[in-house]
Amino acid sequence: MSVLAIITYAAHILEMTYGEAFLWMGILSGIGFVWVWLTFVYRYLKLTPARRVLGLAGIVSPFLLIYFGHIESYAPGFLFFLLWFLVALEYARTGENKWLLGTIGVWLICLRLHPVSLLFAPAFLLMWVHHKGGNALKSRLSNWQGMWIWIGIPILLAGMVLYFFVFG
């Protein structure tokens, strides 16, 4: 189900216009974004001045204007992109399988919200290799040349195929 379908159902069920439904989607996504951002800042930063500066920077960043009444479907995407980052960071920190499954679950939601989240795959693969991969695989991906050969080139090739043959 797409964001537009959810907005359509919400507008119909709640008997509001599409503009009002988009406004509420932006409000709820914005509240969620600020909550997730401040959770990140206060969980991972120990210095109080850095917390204040980054907390404020995250709340007043220019891209957050997407939450202020625009009729666009990007608002939940930004929220779930940030949520994916937090869950992936927790998996990278702990290596626990529950965070791995959480990363996959949030990533699937992100894929429904915007196709650019396909680019999360290399980061996910690197985290997975770091925690679960064998020593041979880790040694191949431990330098820039290995990352370029095994991750960079395949991404470029897949991107060109998608751009020229699927979306072009």
Side-chain angles (χ1 to χ4, degrees):
M1 182 179 295
S2 69
V3 174
L4 294 177
I6 293 170
I7 291 296
T8 301
Y9 290 134
H12 177 70
I13 291 169
L14 299 173
E15 298 177 356
M16 60 175 65
T17 66
Y18 288 118
E20 291 170 334
F22 272 101
L23 179 65
W24 277 104
M25 179 189 64
I27 289 169
L28 294 175
S29 297
I31 289 169
F33 184 92
V34 168
W35 179 71
V36 171
W37 175 255
L38 291 177
T39 299
F40 163 70
V41 167
Y42 283 92
R43 184 175 215 171
Y44 289 98
L45 297 176
K46 302 299 178 208
L47 298 174
T48 304
R51 282 181 173 177
R52 288 185 188 135
V53 169
L54 281 176
L56 188 61
I59 292 172
V60 299
S61 294
F63 78 90
L64 292 179
L65 290 174
I66 197 74
Y67 300 117
F68 294 107
H70 294 275
I71 298 181
E72 302 234 6
S73 61
Y74 293 122
F78 284 126
L79 169 61
F80 279 93
F81 291 173
L82 179 63
L83 190 60
W84 183 87
F85 171 71
L86 265 176
V87 175
L89 188 63
E90 206 50 41
Y91 174 64
R93 191 175 65 81
T94 65
E96 295 177 12
N97 286 334
K98 68 179 181 180
W99 294 111
L100 172 67
L101 294 174
T103 304
I104 293 169
V106 174
W107 187 44
L108 292 174
I109 294 170
C110 289
L111 285 170
R112 282 302 288 160
L113 294 173
H114 202 281
V116 78
S117 56
L118 281 170
L119 296 175
F120 295 170
F124 173 77
L125 287 173
L126 285 174
M127 287 186 304
W128 182 79
V129 165
H130 177 71
H131 287 289
K132 308 287 185 200
N135 289 334
L137 189 56
K138 284 182 186 178
S139 67
R140 277 191 218 157
L141 294 174
S142 65
N143 58 37
W144 288 109
Q145 181 183 9
M147 287 177 60
W148 176 246
I149 290 171
W150 295 102
I151 293 173
I153 292 174
I155 288 173
L156 287 175
L157 291 174
M160 288 191 301
V161 167
L162 289 172
Y163 182 79
F164 290 114
F165 299 111
V166 176
F167 303 119

